[in-house]
Amino acid sequence: MPSDGVPEPRASGVPPGGAVDRLLRNTIANFIGRFWTIGVSLILVPYIVSRVGLERFGLWSLITVLTGYVGLLDFGLGTAYVKKLAEHRARGDDDRLNEAATTGFAVHLAIGIVASAASLAGAGLVARILGVPAPLLSEGKMVLGWGLALFALGNAAVLFPSLVVAFQRMDLSNRITIAVTIPQLAGTFIVLELGWGLRGLLLVQAVVTVLMVAANAWAARRLFPRLQLSPRHISRRAYRELISFGLKLQAVKIADVLTFQTDRILLARFANMATVGWYQIGSAVAMRARQQPLVLVSAVLPFASELSATGERDRLRGLYERGSRYLAATGLPLMVAVALFARPFVRAWMGDGFEMSATILQILAAGHLASMMHGLATQIGAALDRPDLHTRSATLTAIATVVLSLVLVRPLGAIGVAIATSLALVMGPVYYFHSFHRLLGVPLGAFFRRAYGMPLLASALAA
């Protein structure tokens, strides 16, 4: 047993060192991977808009929105994968790990085949419901149908990246992501320069999906050579374990989709595709800014699951408080800077004519700050087998988002949807913090003063 008190698993593929060392390595790896993907987005977004136009960019962004709804079809199994695989790995139980891996893979494969067929068959109906304009309708059917089908088939192989994360090898996961973005960049430039438009982007996405699945399958086999995807490992017990935990978080997934994807669907329906494009640009920057500080705690779930499995509650509390301080020290100044410099940043990045995107970014910054600040708490809650706390807070956020957006979209358009989303993103975390601190036995007021006092003061002075 190492000096940090956490037993080392006997499964292969885990880098040497204690649990804390692995957590640090994974966090650094996630930082590198996240910054790389942000850089890729900064290059691709203005280039794609300049080549296909704002309307087609808005149509392309709807694929991302709709994949969130398709992803709900796994009933939370994907969410349960990392936790259960990490627990079986921590206990060195290869048989249970193979059962969970094979059972989940079989279910995801079946769902992927059905969802792909449904996406292709229903693409025309979806395009009409979203109000895709007549000149883009034929292109919209093709892009939405095949885009969703590609996602569904790629998601069928979610086992492989989940296994890499469960083995706490985010360094390997991020290397794969970085490597795959190179052909993505090259392919995007080639197809758009050839004038292939959205059809070309779809072809690039297909190639990227195949490369990601192949690379993660190779990594999973390297980390766990005893992986056996055989029908004999399909187990009702494993399915019940996965679905039992997954269903607890399914409401969270539904709520997150409603919270973060409803905005552009409403704008497509009640405004136009150009407005969707403007909103997508501002929303994407706010989301990226929110995700950056969360990289600090992105490797926590498998580590916290180990601590929970071994009953080390005090170490969990210490992990939560330290992580919250790091989040506050990085997240608060970052989101204040995003709000203050949104207009010059968007102008320098996208050029003139995107003032609406900058305004949307400023409005969403406050809501995404609140959402970011409770990100660590939700991971600790999941590790403690209390996903119900997140379920209730996410449901509150989703209901508020939909209701307020429906009220404000007609009179205020994209600005109204941004205001509604930001207000809702504050409500859910407030509820979660109150419930979670009662569970953890940590006084909320004193905790906030210790973790957030100085960052709040510094950010207020800077503003």
Side-chain angles (χ1 to χ4, degrees):
M1 177 176 290
S3 59
D4 60 14
V6 178
E8 289 291 338
R10 64 180 178 86
S12 62
V14 180
V20 175
D21 291 335
R22 294 199 305 271
L23 181 62
L24 179 60
R25 279 194 296 269
N26 288 329
T27 300
I28 294 172
N30 285 343
F31 257 120
I32 295 171
R34 194 64 57 84
F35 273 111
W36 177 269
T37 56
I38 286 178
V40 171
S41 295
L42 289 174
I43 295 170
L44 286 182
V45 170
Y47 176 73
I48 292 173
V49 172
S50 70
R51 289 299 185 271
V52 305
L54 194 58
E55 275 198 322
R56 282 183 169 82
F57 175 75
L59 175 60
W60 179 252
S61 71
L62 287 178
I63 296 177
T64 305
V65 174
L66 294 174
T67 55
Y69 289 90
V70 174
L72 296 176
L73 296 177
D74 74 349
F75 301 102
L77 284 179
T79 309
Y81 241 162
V82 172
K83 178 175 169 57
K84 294 303 178 183
L85 292 174
E87 288 178 350
H88 296 323
R89 182 198 65 81
R91 298 187 179 102
D93 194 336
D94 292 351
D95 290 337
R96 297 290 299 278
L97 200 156
N98 270 313
E99 283 185 6
T102 304
T103 303
F105 179 76
V107 174
H108 274 103
L109 183 60
I111 293 172
I113 293 171
V114 173
S116 297
S119 298
L120 293 171
L125 176 61
V126 172
R128 286 190 290 272
I129 291 174
L130 291 176
V132 176
L136 296 179
L137 190 57
S138 175
E139 194 173 14
K141 291 178 183 178
M142 183 274 300
V143 168
L144 293 175
W146 282 103
L148 294 177
L150 279 173
F151 169 80
L153 289 174
N155 196 52
V158 71
L159 159 68
F160 303 121
S162 296
L163 196 61
V164 174
V165 173
F167 272 66
Q168 301 188 46
R169 288 300 306 272
M170 282 75 161
D171 59 321
L172 189 54
S173 177
N174 280 286
R175 271 185 268 168
I176 291 171
T177 299
I178 291 171
V180 170
T181 57
I182 295 173
Q184 180 187 15
L185 275 169
T188 299
F189 284 115
I190 291 171
V191 298
L192 292 184
E193 289 302 318
L194 289 173
W196 293 1
L198 297 187
R199 289 176 172 83
L201 292 179
L202 197 59
L203 174 62
V204 172
Q205 190 58 46
V207 173
V208 167
T209 298
V210 171
L211 291 175
M212 284 292 290
V213 170
N216 278 294
W218 167 82
R221 176 66 67 178
R222 175 186 170 189
L223 293 174
F224 186 47
R226 293 180 295 280
L227 177 64
Q228 297 176 355
L229 297 180
S230 169
R232 66 188 177 86
H233 288 303
I234 296 176
S235 160
R236 290 184 179 180
R237 175 181 63 177
Y239 177 76
R240 285 195 297 267
E241 286 182 352
L242 289 169
I243 200 69
S244 174
F245 185 81
L247 283 176
K248 293 176 184 178
L249 289 178
Q250 179 69 351
V252 174
K253 291 184 64 178
I254 295 172
D256 282 348
V257 168
L258 291 174
T259 299
F260 294 110
Q261 313 293 4
T262 301
D263 44 15
R264 282 147 293 175
I265 289 180
L266 289 176
L267 290 173
R269 183 65 183 170
F270 294 108
N272 53 59
M273 287 297 158
T275 303
V276 174
W278 278 316
Y279 191 96
Q280 169 67 19
I281 291 168
S283 175
V285 175
M287 183 69 75
R288 293 287 189 184
R290 166 184 174 267
Q291 290 171 346
Q292 279 308 107
L294 288 175
V295 176
L296 288 168
V297 298
S298 58
V300 161
L301 180 56
F303 178 53
S305 296
E306 284 189 15
L307 295 182
S308 177
T310 54
E312 300 182 72
R313 195 69 169 260
D314 289 338
R315 292 190 66 194
L316 270 176
R317 293 190 186 96
L319 175 66
Y320 171 57
E321 182 149 346
R322 288 192 302 274
S324 296
R325 287 175 179 170
Y326 298 150
L327 272 181
T330 56
L332 280 168
L334 175 61
M335 298 309 288
V336 169
V338 166
L340 288 176
F341 299 106
R343 293 189 180 280
F345 168 75
V346 171
R347 188 181 304 113
W349 178 38
M350 297 297 302
D352 294 328
F354 291 88
E355 292 78 11
M356 175 71 76
S357 298
T359 301
I360 290 167
L361 172 57
Q362 290 176 313
I363 295 169
L364 290 175
H368 280 289
L369 171 62
S371 177
M372 175 198 69
M373 296 309 293
H374 89 310
L376 175 60
T378 60
Q379 292 198 53
I380 302 293
L384 290 169
D385 283 320
R386 288 299 306 273
D388 55 298
L389 301 181
H390 195 189
T391 299
R392 290 196 289 269
S393 69
T395 302
L396 171 62
T397 302
I399 292 173
T401 299
V402 173
V403 172
L404 292 174
S405 294
L406 286 171
V407 170
L408 297 177
V409 65
R410 288 187 180 276
L412 298 177
I415 299 299
V417 172
I419 291 171
T421 301
S422 199
L423 288 173
L425 286 173
V426 173
M427 296 178 186
V430 168
Y431 172 83
Y432 188 91
F433 273 125
H434 175 73
S435 302
F436 176 72
H437 277 257
R438 291 179 61 185
L439 168 68
L440 207 60
V442 176
L444 185 58
F447 171 82
F448 264 75
R449 286 192 295 272
R450 291 193 304 270
Y452 303 140
M454 288 303 296
L456 275 172
L457 179 60
S459 299
L461 292 174

